[in-house]
């Protein structure tokens, strides 16, 4: 069973429906015992980084997420849920993230249209299980104003060009994350959701 973590800032039902459509059971929860008993975790997110961290801390889910990821449980971050994995963000001032991966979240330069909203095509850097059946040039759907900067190039599985190179799929060991919304990205997104469900199995 996949636990979709509910901290009040995510496209929860859409993500759940995408998993159900691809044949994988998923429950929306903020119950730590359900999270501990789950086979895989999904952290969605829409909104501002500092608000998300405050919400996770307020309901006591930071330790639950970190503990389960460190145990090796498959984890998928989506959009803001990807950004929260990293050490720091500069959205609304300096804010600490979950620190599960190395890097910082910075604003897309103002010379480009912000937010980065709409379809953009993936440049796949590494073949990983999450991207099985997904080809370079496949279009996925983005909505964000901040992006990841990291020196850990081996953790960037795919990127997109938006004047700056934006990491679009990242990961390390059991951690996977997408800056875009797979649940809004048509057949390509459903393939990614299905791939994660298969990893949880």
């Amino acid at each position: 069973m996949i636990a979709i973590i509910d901290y009040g800032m995510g496209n929860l039902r859409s993500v759940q429906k995408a998993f159900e459509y691809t044949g994988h059971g998923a429950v929306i929860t903020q119950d730590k015992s359900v999270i501990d008993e789950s086979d895989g975790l999904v952290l969605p997110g829409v909104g501002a980084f500092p608000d998300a961290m405050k919400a996770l801390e307020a309901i006591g889910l930071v330790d639950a997420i970190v503990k389960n990821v460190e145990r090796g449980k498959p984890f998928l971050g989506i959009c803001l849920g990807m950004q929260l994995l990293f050490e720091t963000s500069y959205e609304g001032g300096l804010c600490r993230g979950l620190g599960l991966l190395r890097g910082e979240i910075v604003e897309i330069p103002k010379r480009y249209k912000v937010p980065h909203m709409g379809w953009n095509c993936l440049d796949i850097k590494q073949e990983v299980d999450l991207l099985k059946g997904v080809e370079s040039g496949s279009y996925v759907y983005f909505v964000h104003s901040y992006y990841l900067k990291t020196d850990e190039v081996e953790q960037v599985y795919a990127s997109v060009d938006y004047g700056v190179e934006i990491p679009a799929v990242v990961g390390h060991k059991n951690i996977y994350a997408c800056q875009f919304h797979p649940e809004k990205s048509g057949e390509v997104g459903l393939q990614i959701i299905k791939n994660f469900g298969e990893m949880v199995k």
Side-chain angles (χ1 to χ4, degrees):
M1 183 268 296
I2 295 166
I4 300 170
I5 298 170
D6 177 10
Y7 58 103
M9 295 178 66
N11 224 4
L12 303 175
R13 182 66 185 127
S14 297
V15 174
Q16 184 185 39
K17 283 169 72 176
F19 275 106
E20 289 171 350
Y21 183 83
T22 59
H24 300 286
V27 60
I28 296 168
T29 187
Q30 52 183 229
D31 186 324
K32 283 181 269 192
S33 64
V34 174
I35 290 168
D36 287 344
E37 291 163 11
S38 69
D39 302 305
L41 300 178
V42 178
L43 185 65
V46 176
F49 191 108
D51 296 340
M53 284 304 299
K54 281 178 193 165
L56 286 170
E57 285 162 0
I59 53 180
L61 291 184
V62 170
D63 288 345
I65 292 168
V66 171
K67 175 181 71 176
N68 278 278
V69 171
E70 288 179 345
R71 283 178 180 167
K73 193 171 287 187
F75 177 97
L76 177 65
I78 295 174
C79 195
L80 178 58
M82 168 187 144
Q83 296 183 0
L84 293 170
L85 288 168
F86 290 89
E87 295 164 304
T88 52
S89 169
Y90 291 91
E91 185 173 4
L94 184 63
C95 180
R96 209 168 92 187
L98 295 170
L100 289 163
L101 296 176
R102 293 181 63 186
E104 58 184 14
I105 306 303
V106 301
E107 191 172 10
I108 294 172
K110 294 196 183 297
R111 63 184 177 272
Y112 305 112
K113 188 180 177 185
V114 178
H116 172 213
M117 183 164 66
W119 298 85
N120 205 336
C121 61
L122 293 174
D123 176 11
I124 295 176
K125 310 285 190 185
Q126 298 183 52
E127 291 185 10
V128 293
D129 288 343
L130 189 71
L131 296 173
K132 201 181 299 175
V134 178
E135 297 179 358
S136 267
S138 297
Y139 279 83
V140 290
Y141 189 80
F142 291 83
V143 185
H144 65 116
S145 300
Y146 286 74
Y147 75 107
L148 168 66
K149 283 188 76 174
T150 181
D151 294 326
E152 307 290 324
V153 292
E154 72 281 358
Q155 295 182 12
V156 178
Y157 299 152
S159 64
V160 296
D161 180 10
Y162 194 64
V164 290
E165 184 177 6
I166 294 175
V169 183
V170 300
H172 179 63
K173 296 182 178 176
N174 55 305
I175 301 173
Y176 294 89
C178 304
Q179 179 60 75
F180 56 90
H181 286 275
E183 78 281 4
K184 295 182 179 179
S185 296
E187 291 300 318
V188 173
L190 288 173
Q191 181 65 48
I192 290 169
I193 293 279
K194 180 183 177 185
N195 289 343
F196 182 74
E198 294 295 328
M199 280 188 269
V200 171
K201 270 187 176 177

